[in-house]
Amino acid sequence: MPRTGDSMRGLAVFIADIRNCKSREQEKKRINKELANIRSKFKGDKQLDGYQKKKYVCKLLFIFLLGNDVDFGHMEAVDLLASNKYTEKQIGYLFISVMMHHSNDLYKLVIQAIKNDLSSKDPVHICLALTCIANIGTPEMAEEIGDEVPKILTSPDTLHGVKKCAALCLLRLFELKSDKFIHAELSSRLIALLSDQHLGVVTSACSLIQALVTANTVEYKGCVSLAVSRLSRIVSSTDLKDYMYYFIAAPWLSVKLLRLLQSYGQPTDSAVYERLKESLETILNRATDPPKSKKIQHTNAKNAVLFEAINLIIHYDSDAALMVRSCNLLGGFLNSKETNLRYLALESLTKLAVSDFSRKAVMKHQETVVQALKNERDLSVRQRAVDLLYAMCDRDQAEEIVGELLAYLEKADYSIREELVLKIAILAEKFAQDYKWYVDVVLNLIRIAGDYIADEVWYRVTQIVINRDDIQAYAAKTVFEALQAPTCHENMVKVGAYILGEFGNLIAGDERSGPIVQFKLLHSMFHLCSNQTKYILLSTYIKLINLFPEIKGDIEEVLGNDNQLRNSDAEIQQRAMEYTKLSQIASSDLLATVLEEMPQFTERESSLLAKLKKKSNTLVKERDDGDNTSLQNGSSPVEVERGLPSRPPPPEVNLVELNVELSSAPVDVGGSSLLDLESPSGTAEIPEPALESGTPQDSPVLNNYSAPPAAVAAAPPAPAAEPSLLDMFGGAPPATDPTKVQVVTGLIECNEAAQPNFKAFICSRNNGILFENEIIQIGVKSEFTGFEGKLQVFYGNKSPLPLQGFNTTLFISPKDQPSLRLEGQKVTLLISAGAQIPQTIKATAVAAFGETPLLQISFSAAGTAHTMVLRLPLLVNKFCKGTGMGAQDFFMRWKNLNLPAQECQKVFKASRPMDNDLVKGKVQGFGFQVLEGVDPKPDNLVGAGIIVCEGSQVGCLLRLEPSKPAQMYRMTVRSSREGVPELLVNLLSQDL
């Protein structure tokens, strides 16, 4: 048998025998024979040399890859790792990578063999070991070998090929154990690799640094200038001249460098930014040059660099000229014959559409995008066209764009119809100038794609109709006509029943839509509907009795029919029985009180937005239009948030990222009547009165309209002279809970240790997690405008059991009680397992205040009472807005504020790295505008801001003097209001 060469004739013969087998049984027999032979060789002959071990290990590997179990040969493979021959060591590593699990007893021997190879002087052995680590690396291996790989990577004696392997191996180890590779010494050496002259090394280093940046952005900030310098040299063809890929210099490295730069904001160094801008302009210019090759590889490489450059321009969102040029280039791709180019162009234009700099340039391509929507064959491209139209829509183009989307909806692919319906509904609501048009759009949606209408869509239209008196008659007339169509979708019946039950009297003057006509039209569809819709129809019938007493007999006949009273569905049976009893016993005045028109809904955000975020992964970040108007009386405009991560299902739900869903927020409609019904925006909490015997204790006496909207309004207590509705069934009236959260003026102890990350809310955050343990997660999302703030606090139940007796109380310090006004809605008493509920808290800054309000939460879980007191991120600087001024203005105001009580100065130790950009960001996040070039010392930082209070404004000036050798700051704040400087100094110093 030959001892030289790599032919391994025995392996070739075995593979040929397997291929020549005529059946599975014959193959299995041959494999078993070979396994027995190999086992005997390993056990019997102790004098096997490296070649024979390699041959038999290869046979075992081949047998394993055929799908057979192999439970021996691991020790022989480990022995091969100690060989000095490349082919034997290679087969050993291959066997281990494919067949050995990290729980194997021999794994420690493998780690030791890898260590030996890493310390070898043979670069081939080092590369084999690094490749093995990258393929089968584990946290244990990262701990044992993690220190060796960076040494190899940063050593000046290491060959380029080995460095490339080491960089990719370190990337794998970082993914396994990230905290082991984050320290200052390593970061500076890794950043230096971006200057390496070997293409493979710098490309691998880019991938590694981009991953490390996600874990420690500040530590690797030095990579920005090096990346810009390298990109500039590549673009100008002065670097890597030897590597031209179809006339494009190092395209994949250029893409990686551009992607790395997107991990940071725009460079603050003007020289670096100018060099980067010049490179971006060169890339855009070359996009219009005639192609140097007709090969598709040339086009792909050129466009890869171009699109990544455009992504960087979009990321910076600061240079109007570059963004407009990008729009124009992308517009040219919309008519390309390449489907991928059209797709990418639409996707990039969607991102550009949200910027004020490029929005008008994107709008120029509206007609082309509409044609793509109509004529494009590829579904994914049509979907991107829908996204772009959705992003570019504004008040002027709303009717045209919504019309085009409605036309497309009729022939749209079924897989995207539900998402398309949501987008049309959001645009119609957001940009409606005439709400009659909005009603028409939603009814058209139901007519065209009724099966794809989410409940949130028709909940929303009923809510808006209730809140706008000017469209109620039109909505009733339009929905009545829609119900007369030969085919009518069930969702249309729901909307029609709800609106006619509330406002049918507004169209009853016409004989063609008289009371009995409305009733018969609705009842003609009763037998065709699902039980959920029947619930709504039955509640509509009792409402019609109140609106039109003259048809009471017809309705009572239907309610008292055996089809309802003896229905197999208990809900239908109960509604029919109770509504019949109500219409017969209650006086007309009591009936009118109980069944009065629904009150207007309170301000709340649209649940369509959260629904859309679940359905689409291509949402666009909402631009701040500035021209939005209220969609409801007393309510704010819909804030269409595009581009946020989709919400995961509970209980692992990130509460901070969510908008309030209408279905999750209980609505108190202002009464304790037994006819409190669920509203389009949530479930009204129904108290449980004492019931007569035989009535199920867990059911309300008069159940709700249905799980969706209410058609029966809550009623105040009836006068004493009138027979109470409760008297009919027995029992005392239930006590009513206040709708507002209790606000207490007083002091209470707060557990600071429970909120270790609270400092992050001072400067850099408005959203985040306030508190979390194994039972509950409490998050907050806040926004501040002028002297008003709005906080959405989210309570999420992480436990498998419900949280009962849930209650919250707000505490304000006595000295701050005149300066801060709080109000909020009361939360429900029960949070189901895995559910989350929101609570809105509104704050008004009457004057500058010092202490943060406290939030006390109490509940019981599994019979154990829990109480916690948390600090709300409601700080005086949240009401501060930056203001600009020149050096002369600043120092004149500074000198005028010379009273002792108008100044506060503090010297303190830095709690984080004294990075100029980081400190500047903190000061800006605090609320001051940083004034450049004002202080004669360049390291000093000065800022100005105005605290906006109700009826007054407080001017504030800041001067921050760092001492990097001593790692100390001296902060001085002056203000026109006494006491304010001390408040601001104490707050800002906590986060520096």
Side-chain angles (χ1 to χ4, degrees):
M1 186 177 288
R3 295 292 187 271
T4 58
D6 295 326
S7 60
M8 289 190 290
R9 184 172 174 273
L11 175 64
V13 171
F14 174 63
I15 293 174
D17 289 346
I18 293 296
R19 289 179 175 176
N20 292 331
C21 291
K22 303 298 184 182
S23 64
R24 174 64 181 165
E25 290 75 17
Q26 188 179 354
E27 178 185 311
K28 190 70 176 175
K29 183 178 179 181
R30 179 70 182 88
I31 289 173
N32 288 336
K33 179 181 177 181
E34 191 65 36
L35 287 173
N37 177 54
I38 297 172
R39 194 185 298 270
S40 66
K41 292 290 184 181
F42 285 166
K43 287 186 176 180
D45 191 349
K46 301 298 184 182
Q47 302 302 320
L48 290 178
D49 60 15
Y51 171 80
Q52 290 174 319
K53 287 182 181 179
K54 178 182 71 172
K55 179 179 65 174
Y56 293 134
V57 166
C58 277
K59 287 184 178 181
L60 290 176
L61 186 58
F62 179 71
I63 291 170
F64 177 79
L65 294 176
L66 287 177
N68 300 280
D69 292 331
V70 176
D71 58 0
F72 67 98
H74 299 81
M75 189 63 212
E76 287 70 20
V78 173
D79 290 343
L80 289 175
L81 298 183
S83 172
N84 288 323
K85 290 186 178 181
Y86 168 74
T87 54
E88 294 174 7
K89 190 181 289 288
Q90 180 193 35
I91 294 301
Y93 275 122
L94 180 61
F95 184 93
I96 287 167
S97 299
V98 173
M99 297 182 60
M100 185 176 285
H101 192 265
H102 63 83
S103 61
N104 194 297
D105 294 337
L106 301 175
Y107 204 71
K108 290 187 177 180
L109 293 177
V110 173
I111 293 178
Q112 185 58 47
I114 291 174
K115 278 186 176 180
N116 294 338
D117 283 338
L118 290 178
S119 59
S120 169
K121 294 183 179 180
D122 190 333
V124 175
H125 293 178
I126 298 174
C127 285
L128 283 174
L130 291 170
T131 304
C132 180
I133 297 170
N135 285 330
I136 65 169
T138 63
E140 180 186 358
M141 191 177 287
E143 191 65 41
E144 292 283 340
I145 310 175
D147 294 332
E148 302 298 325
V149 179
K151 292 178 183 177
I152 295 171
L153 177 58
T154 57
S155 171
D157 300 326
T158 307
L159 297 179
H160 292 307
V162 179
K163 281 188 176 182
K164 181 174 68 173
C165 291
L168 296 178
C169 178
L170 187 58
L171 175 58
R172 168 65 174 163
L173 294 178
F174 171 75
E175 293 170 352
L176 294 170
K177 200 168 181 64
S178 59
D179 56 338
K180 188 173 180 62
F181 306 100
I182 302 176
H183 47 84
E185 293 180 7
L186 179 61
S187 63
S188 59
R189 292 191 217 166
L190 293 180
I191 291 172
L193 292 174
L194 292 178
S195 300
D196 198 284
Q197 293 305 307
H198 190 271
L199 176 68
V201 173
V202 71
T203 304
S204 302
C206 268
S207 299
L208 174 61
I209 293 172
Q210 188 168 355
L212 293 169
V213 162
T214 60
N216 194 338
T217 308
V218 176
E219 199 69 54
Y220 288 87
K221 192 170 185 181
C223 71
V224 173
S225 58
L226 279 178
V228 170
S229 175
R230 196 66 188 261
L231 178 67
S232 175
R233 296 201 303 272
I234 294 173
V235 171
S236 60
S237 301
T238 59
D239 192 10
L240 298 173
K241 295 179 182 179
D242 296 334
Y243 189 81
M244 299 291 290
Y245 181 83
Y246 289 89
F247 304 100
I248 306 295
W252 315 128
L253 176 56
S254 300
V255 168
K256 285 181 178 289
L257 291 170
L258 288 164
R259 197 167 291 167
L260 176 60
L261 290 171
Q262 292 174 49
S263 302
Y264 293 92
Q266 181 175 310
T268 53
D269 189 319
S270 58
V272 173
Y273 179 66
E274 286 302 319
R275 192 172 185 183
L276 175 59
K277 183 179 177 182
E278 184 180 340
S279 301
L280 294 174
E281 288 175 343
T282 303
I283 294 172
L284 295 181
N285 290 336
R286 287 180 181 172
T288 59
D289 293 344
K292 296 181 180 180
S293 172
K294 294 183 179 179
K295 297 277 182 85
I296 189 65
Q297 292 90 336
H298 171 76
T299 304
N300 286 343
K302 182 178 177 181
N303 288 334
V305 177
L306 172 64
F307 277 102
E308 207 58 55
I310 291 175
N311 284 338
L312 181 61
I313 293 169
I314 294 171
H315 174 71
Y316 288 160
D317 193 16
S318 60
D319 193 305
L322 286 177
M323 298 191 76
V324 171
R325 284 192 63 192
S326 300
C327 283
N328 296 336
L329 282 172
L330 293 170
F333 290 138
L334 294 179
N335 296 316
S336 171
K337 293 181 181 180
E338 288 290 331
T339 303
N340 288 340
L341 275 182
R342 297 196 300 274
Y343 179 96
L344 291 171
L346 288 167
E347 188 176 49
S348 298
L349 283 170
T350 302
K351 298 174 185 176
L352 285 164
V354 303
S355 171
D356 292 334
F357 294 120
S358 54
R359 185 156 171 260
K360 290 184 179 179
V362 175
M363 295 295 296
K364 295 177 182 178
H365 304 292
Q366 179 178 330
E367 186 59 36
T368 308
V369 178
V370 170
Q371 290 304 315
L373 188 65
K374 293 178 178 178
N375 305 322
E376 179 61 52
R377 294 182 179 181
D378 191 280
L379 171 62
S380 61
V381 178
R382 293 200 302 272
Q383 195 164 0
R384 297 291 80 76
V386 170
D387 291 339
L388 178 52
L389 288 172
Y390 176 66
M392 69 166 62
C393 186
D394 62 10
R395 189 169 299 281
D396 296 330
Q397 281 79 27
E399 293 195 20
E400 181 183 352
I401 289 177
V402 169
E404 294 291 352
L405 293 177
L406 279 171
Y408 172 63
L409 179 61
E410 298 195 39
K411 58 180 182 180
D413 189 88
Y414 295 112
S415 62
I416 65 170
R417 283 198 175 190
E418 185 171 355
E419 180 185 333
L420 185 57
V421 164
L422 286 171
K423 288 183 175 179
I424 293 172
I426 289 172
L427 292 179
E429 179 183 357
K430 180 177 175 62
F431 297 114
Q433 300 184 58
D434 180 357
Y435 284 93
K436 294 179 180 179
W437 171 74
Y438 169 73
V439 172
D440 290 338
V441 168
V442 176
L443 295 184
N444 268 332
L445 282 177
I446 297 174
R447 178 183 59 81
I448 295 170
D451 290 336
Y452 302 92
I453 298 292
D455 286 340
E456 288 83 357
V457 174
W458 74 268
Y459 292 174
R460 194 66 173 164
V461 70
T462 54
Q463 184 179 3
I464 289 175
V465 169
I466 286 173
N467 281 21
R468 299 196 66 89
D469 298 338
D470 54 329
I471 61 169
Q472 290 168 356
Y474 179 80
K477 179 177 180 295
T478 306
V479 78
F480 177 80
E481 293 171 352
L483 289 172
Q484 292 177 310
T487 57
C488 184
H489 195 274
E490 189 168 337
N491 280 329
M492 186 73 78
V493 178
K494 292 177 181 178
V495 176
Y498 187 92
I499 291 179
L500 291 179
E502 292 293 331
F503 310 114
N505 59 309
L506 300 178
I507 61 170
D510 190 333
E511 291 183 359
R512 293 170 295 179
S513 56
I516 192 63
V517 177
Q518 293 182 36
F519 170 66
K520 288 183 176 180
L521 178 60
L522 290 172
H523 191 57
S524 65
M525 303 173 188
F526 187 88
H527 66 288
L528 301 173
C529 298
S530 66
N531 286 344
Q532 290 293 327
T533 306
K534 288 180 180 179
Y535 303 159
I536 300 176
L537 286 169
L538 289 174
S539 294
T540 297
Y541 296 166
I542 192 66
K543 293 285 286 187
L544 291 177
I545 289 179
N546 178 53
L547 292 178
F548 313 114
E550 62 271 25
I551 61 172
K552 180 178 179 180
D554 298 274
I555 296 176
E556 286 182 345
E557 182 179 347
V558 170
L559 293 175
N561 191 289
D562 283 351
N563 290 333
Q564 275 68 258
L565 294 179
R566 298 186 178 183
N567 196 287
S568 59
D569 186 279
E571 180 78 8
I572 293 177
Q573 186 182 127
Q574 182 179 354
R575 286 175 185 261
M577 177 190 70
E578 293 172 351
Y579 290 162
T580 301
K581 191 72 171 176
L582 175 64
S583 67
Q584 292 173 352
I585 297 179
S587 66
S588 57
D589 289 342
L590 178 59
L591 198 62
T593 302
V594 172
L595 303 175
E596 67 180 354
E597 186 179 305
M598 274 291 294
Q600 291 189 355
F601 290 93
T602 54
E603 175 184 348
R604 64 179 65 251
E605 294 171 320
S606 173
S607 63
L608 299 182
L609 309 178
K611 183 75 175 177
L612 182 57
K613 282 189 286 186
K614 293 179 188 177
K615 283 292 170 188
S616 174
N617 293 323
T618 55
L619 304 182
V620 187
K621 188 178 180 182
E622 168 65 303
R623 59 183 178 269
D624 185 8
D625 291 294
D627 60 351
N628 296 342
T629 57
S630 176
L631 296 178
Q632 307 173 27
N633 293 343
S635 69
S636 62
V638 177
E639 298 167 356
V640 185
E641 295 185 13
R642 306 168 183 167
L644 298 177
S646 299
R647 183 176 71 173
E652 291 87 23
V653 59
N654 188 349
L655 302 175
V656 181
E657 293 295 327
L658 302 182
N659 278 322
V660 182
E661 285 203 273
L662 298 182
S663 58
S664 66
V667 179
D668 192 329
V669 289
S672 59
S673 167
L674 294 175
L675 291 172
D676 279 353
L677 304 178
E678 292 181 342
S679 69
S681 52
T683 305
E685 189 174 313
I686 304 177
E688 293 185 351
L691 305 179
E692 291 182 349
S693 59
T695 306
Q697 184 65 33
D698 59 347
S699 301
V701 176
L702 288 178
N703 211 320
N704 40 31
Y705 214 137
S706 76
V712 185
E722 294 288 347
S724 169
L725 180 60
L726 287 167
D727 293 339
M728 303 175 193
F729 301 98
T736 59
D737 290 329
T739 61
K740 302 293 184 184
V741 66
Q742 185 180 9
V743 181
V744 177
T745 301
L747 299 175
I748 187 172
E749 186 176 353
C750 175
N751 183 9
E752 301 286 348
Q755 294 177 274
N757 299 322
F758 186 80
K759 288 182 181 179
F761 288 96
I762 297 176
C763 293
S764 53
R765 272 205 217 159
N766 279 338
N767 308 330
I769 302 297
L770 280 179
F771 175 83
E772 184 171 14
N773 60 16
E774 68 280 359
I775 299 175
I776 190 170
Q777 183 189 53
I778 303 173
V780 65
K781 181 177 181 181
S782 55
E783 57 183 16
F784 297 88
T785 305
F787 56 82
E788 294 182 335
K790 178 180 177 183
L791 289 80
Q792 290 280 359
V793 184
F794 298 90
Y795 307 96
N797 183 2
K798 297 172 60 178
S799 71
L801 299 173
L803 305 183
Q804 300 177 329
F806 199 87
N807 187 48
T808 59
T809 306
L810 292 170
F811 285 84
I812 302 179
S813 169
K815 65 179 181 180
D816 289 328
Q817 193 274 335
S819 305
L820 181 64
R821 189 165 61 245
L822 297 177
E823 62 178 26
Q825 65 184 34
K826 190 175 180 66
V827 294
T828 56
L829 298 176
L830 179 73
I831 306 180
S832 303
Q836 61 91 16
I837 61 169
Q839 181 180 30
T840 301
I841 299 173
K842 295 181 180 179
T844 303
V846 181
F849 57 93
E851 300 289 335
T852 57
L854 301 178
L855 175 65
Q856 183 186 60
I857 303 112
S858 58
F859 58 88
S860 63
T864 304
H866 298 265
T867 301
M868 56 196 71
V869 180
L870 306 177
R871 297 171 65 190
L872 278 177
L874 189 59
L875 309 159
V876 67
N877 65 291
K878 299 296 183 181
F879 300 93
C880 183
K881 64 176 183 179
T883 182
M885 62 181 69
Q888 185 177 355
D889 248 358
F890 178 86
F891 286 110
M892 181 184 71
R893 295 168 187 261
W894 184 270
K895 291 176 182 178
N896 289 338
L897 300 171
N898 53 13
L899 297 178
Q902 292 178 328
E903 178 184 280
C904 180
Q905 188 174 93
K906 183 177 183 180
V907 178
F908 57 94
K909 188 81 173 175
S911 61
R912 59 180 75 246
M914 299 181 71
D915 180 80
N916 290 341
D917 293 331
L918 176 64
V919 174
K920 186 183 295 184
K922 291 288 184 185
V923 171
Q924 289 173 336
F926 189 79
F928 285 107
Q929 179 173 328
V930 176
L931 306 178
E932 302 286 356
V934 171
D935 198 292
K937 295 183 179 180
D939 287 342
N940 290 354
L941 189 147
V942 297
I946 297 174
I947 298 176
V948 182
C949 302
E950 189 178 42
S952 65
Q953 295 185 346
V954 182
C956 306
L957 301 177
L958 164 73
R959 189 180 189 193
L960 187 64
E961 301 166 90
S963 174
K964 292 185 179 181
Q967 290 291 296
M968 303 283 285
Y969 288 107
R970 181 168 68 183
M971 182 189 300
T972 310
V973 173
R974 294 187 179 184
S975 173
S976 57
R977 186 69 53 86
E978 296 181 0
V980 172
E982 183 179 0
L983 296 177
L984 299 182
V985 166
N986 290 336
L987 274 178
L988 184 53
S989 61
Q990 290 182 48
D991 207 21
L992 292 178

